[in-house]
Amino acid sequence: MTVDICSMTLTEAATALQKRELTARAAVRACLDRIAATEPAIGALLHVDADGALARAEELDAQGPRADQPLWGVPVTVKDALSTKGIPTTAASRILENFVPFYDAFVVDRLRKAGAILLGKANMDEFAMGSSTENSAFKPTRNPWNTGRVPGGSSGGSAASVAAGQCFASLGSDTGGSIRQPAAFCGCVGLKPTYGRVSRYGLFAFASSLDQVGPLTRTVEDCARVLTVIAGHDPRDTTSEPRPDEDFTTAVRVAGTRLAGVRLGVPRDFFGEGLAGEVRDACEAALERARELGAELVDVQLPPTDIASATYYIIAMAEASSNLARYDGVRYGRRAPDVHTLDELYVESRSQGFGEEVKRRIMLGSYVLSSGYYDAYFRKAAQTRRLIRDAWCAALEGCDAICTPVAPVTAWPLGSHATNPLQAYLMDAYTIPVNLAGLPGLSLPVGLGSESRMPVGLQFIGKAFDEGTLLRVGHVLEQALPGIGSPRIPV
């Protein structure tokens, strides 16, 4: 019987590799063939390191499997915002076009040491600014479930790569929902860890107080395996929490099949106005299944999402304008030719290098930080952020996790928000508060929309550094739901 390697989960592939039932070269070859067949339709990757991946696979096969390397021989991709030694890294921006780093990000180094094989870099919204992966400077990515629709953003390339079977897992970054929302749109599992759980060293910053790196996978168990590898203290990141390494796969292994004793908080306001009916139906059906498994559903009160959205966009854009100031044509990035003064060098380099969405956010961020407006906007947003965090933490004292939709709609048609960026900003309303509060959030596929036939995600938000509970609850519910199948990609 011929085994379709690309349809295996990461856990299945890792087990087969450890037992020598599958070679690393065969796994890489299957993924490269899948990439060749699907990339013309979805455009998930910006760079494929085929030669490097095959060479690494042959090296691993010659050495043999190692039990202390949980991802031995497993092909993966990572978002192009993560630095990769010797492999182009652009953050999907012209200002970093042709840049090849000389070091690996912390999480990439962890993946390599765990035995994973890096296939390539996933497309994204430029500097992670967007909700659709249409803002990449190089090309848009299309949703594998329907190539006329977006994959979500900004980690849309990572989600599409996993959903299309190009790899067994991918890493993304999440500033306001950029792992969870594309995971929901593409039918994957996506986890934004607690702020400080995973080092940001080597991640090209968008908004430093909100960014987190996390996995996108096909199952919750796969997600736990990758999180176990990438989580850990890193002294090079001053916000990295000095905690001992944890084995999150244990939370899944002991999960059982029931949710007895688990209290799930449900903010009813999040299921009201503004939420598409097909998304509400899929999420409520999943919650009812959780109740049948023994979970207790309790009502919780949270601040309105519009307050969180306003707060988020002030803070995120202020930090973005500061972080991206380094790309000035002198110290970093593209340098404009044929200029005669220093001012011209700054203006032309940034004008030519940045896309429209990045320029919009830099200008808004500079405005809220400018003299005379700092107190009116940024200081007030920072104070409101603390109140939002306190409200979410208080709500979590009465339950084990809070459940909300991931996004108000399923994946929308390409180009439908092109002339109205404010409309696109509202697509993050359910995920943004989690970043403001620094809490972990898990996106779990719970069904297909009855009208769009596109994947719907349910979000589980937990207490700080309690990813184990989210993974356990998510795994039990995942086993009890009928599943959504796999996309049929035109090849």
Side-chain angles (χ1 to χ4, degrees):
M1 181 177 68
T2 302
V3 177
D4 180 4
I5 296 173
C6 293
S7 67
M8 300 169 75
T9 67
L10 182 151
T11 301
E12 292 169 343
T15 302
L17 285 159
Q18 287 286 344
K19 292 181 176 178
R20 288 184 177 270
E21 296 171 351
L22 176 67
T23 66
R25 180 179 175 81
V28 168
R29 189 69 264 170
C31 289
L32 291 175
D33 290 345
R34 184 70 174 162
I35 289 170
T38 57
E39 266 302 279
I42 63 173
L45 303 175
L46 290 177
H47 180 81
V48 178
D49 184 23
D51 292 341
L54 286 169
R56 179 59 177 157
E58 290 176 359
E59 181 183 341
L60 289 176
D61 282 333
Q63 296 170 355
R66 286 178 49 179
D68 63 337
Q69 293 184 331
L71 301 182
W72 188 91
V74 175
V76 300
T77 64
V78 301
K79 189 175 184 177
D80 203 34
L82 290 162
S83 182
T84 46
K85 184 178 181 180
I87 299 175
T89 303
T90 67
S93 177
R94 294 285 180 194
I95 209 161
L96 283 171
E97 192 169 11
N98 302 319
F99 173 62
V100 180
F102 58 86
Y103 72 103
D104 280 332
F106 174 85
V107 291
V108 174
D109 184 53
R110 281 285 184 108
L111 287 176
R112 292 191 199 274
K113 287 178 178 175
I117 298 174
L118 183 58
L119 286 176
K121 307 299 291 291
N123 197 17
M124 55 183 284
D125 287 305
E126 184 179 4
F127 281 103
M129 298 181 188
S131 301
S132 63
T133 313
E134 294 173 291
N135 295 320
S136 168
F138 303 107
K139 60 182 179 182
T141 294
R142 297 172 179 270
N143 194 310
W145 287 83
N146 181 338
T147 54
R149 295 184 179 245
V150 302
S154 62
S155 305
S158 295
S161 181
V162 172
Q166 296 180 342
C167 61
F168 294 94
S170 189
L171 294 185
S173 65
D174 192 314
T175 307
S178 292
I179 289 174
R180 290 158 288 160
Q181 187 241 39
F185 281 10
C186 293
C188 305
V189 174
L191 176 69
K192 185 206 89 71
T194 308
Y195 188 79
R197 170 71 84 180
V198 177
S199 171
R200 292 179 296 109
Y201 177 79
L203 171 67
F204 291 9
F206 166 11
S208 303
S209 74
L210 301 164
D211 297 337
Q212 267 296 277
V213 180
L216 293 106
T217 58
R218 290 178 204 152
T219 69
V220 175
E221 184 175 8
D222 292 354
C223 184
R225 282 176 175 263
V226 178
L227 180 64
T228 299
V229 168
I230 65 172
H233 179 238
D234 178 9
R236 295 168 298 184
D237 175 0
T238 57
T239 63
S240 175
E241 185 75 8
R243 303 173 68 89
D245 289 353
E246 294 183 38
D247 181 4
F248 294 100
T249 57
T250 301
V252 174
R253 280 200 298 267
V254 303
T257 58
R258 300 283 297 169
L259 294 175
V262 173
R263 289 169 62 88
L264 298 178
V266 182
R268 296 295 174 188
D269 292 344
F270 284 42
F271 288 80
E273 186 178 357
L275 182 64
E278 62 175 357
V279 176
R280 181 188 301 110
D281 292 345
C283 290
E284 290 185 341
L287 289 173
E288 181 56 31
R289 188 74 185 101
R291 190 205 300 272
E292 293 169 358
L293 294 170
E296 180 184 0
L297 305 186
V298 297
D299 289 349
V300 295
Q301 294 293 322
L302 293 167
T305 56
D306 58 343
I307 294 176
S309 294
T311 302
Y312 169 83
Y313 278 104
I314 290 173
I315 292 174
M317 293 186 189
E319 293 188 14
S321 72
S322 176
N323 278 326
L324 270 59
R326 73 191 67 175
Y327 302 102
D328 56 8
V330 178
R331 294 168 295 175
Y332 290 97
R334 180 191 186 98
R335 174 171 293 186
D338 303 325
V339 295
H340 305 288
T341 68
L342 187 60
D343 284 346
E344 286 181 6
L345 176 63
Y346 288 157
V347 172
E348 289 302 318
S349 296
R350 290 167 67 82
S351 296
Q352 295 172 16
F354 289 135
E356 292 304 311
E357 183 60 31
V358 173
K359 290 175 185 173
R360 182 182 298 115
R361 298 194 186 205
I362 289 174
M363 286 191 290
L364 287 168
S366 299
Y367 177 78
V368 300
L369 288 176
S370 61
S371 177
Y373 295 100
Y374 178 87
D375 286 339
Y377 293 105
F378 188 78
R379 184 186 298 277
K380 188 167 292 186
Q383 293 168 337
T384 305
R385 176 183 187 172
R386 182 53 186 257
L387 296 176
I388 291 170
R389 174 180 168 78
D390 290 347
W392 277 77
C393 290
L396 282 164
E397 289 179 1
C399 58
D400 297 295
I402 293 173
C403 300
T404 77
V406 175
V409 297
T410 56
W412 57 82
L414 284 153
S416 57
H417 293 164
T419 59
N420 188 350
L422 184 59
Q423 196 176 34
Y425 294 169
L426 297 176
M427 296 299 108
D428 298 332
Y430 300 129
T431 51
I432 277 172
V434 184
N435 297 76
L436 290 172
L439 301 172
L442 176 75
S443 174
L444 179 72
V446 293
L448 297 178
S450 56
E451 297 179 6
S452 65
R453 306 308 297 167
M454 296 296 291
V456 175
L458 178 65
Q459 180 177 213
F460 295 87
I461 300 131
K463 300 180 179 72
F465 299 104
D466 192 20
E467 286 87 350
T469 294
L470 301 186
L471 293 166
R472 180 168 64 88
V473 173
H475 176 69
V476 173
L477 189 55
E478 179 184 56
Q479 303 307 306
L481 292 172
I484 63 171
S486 301
R488 294 182 179 179
I489 308 167
V491 296

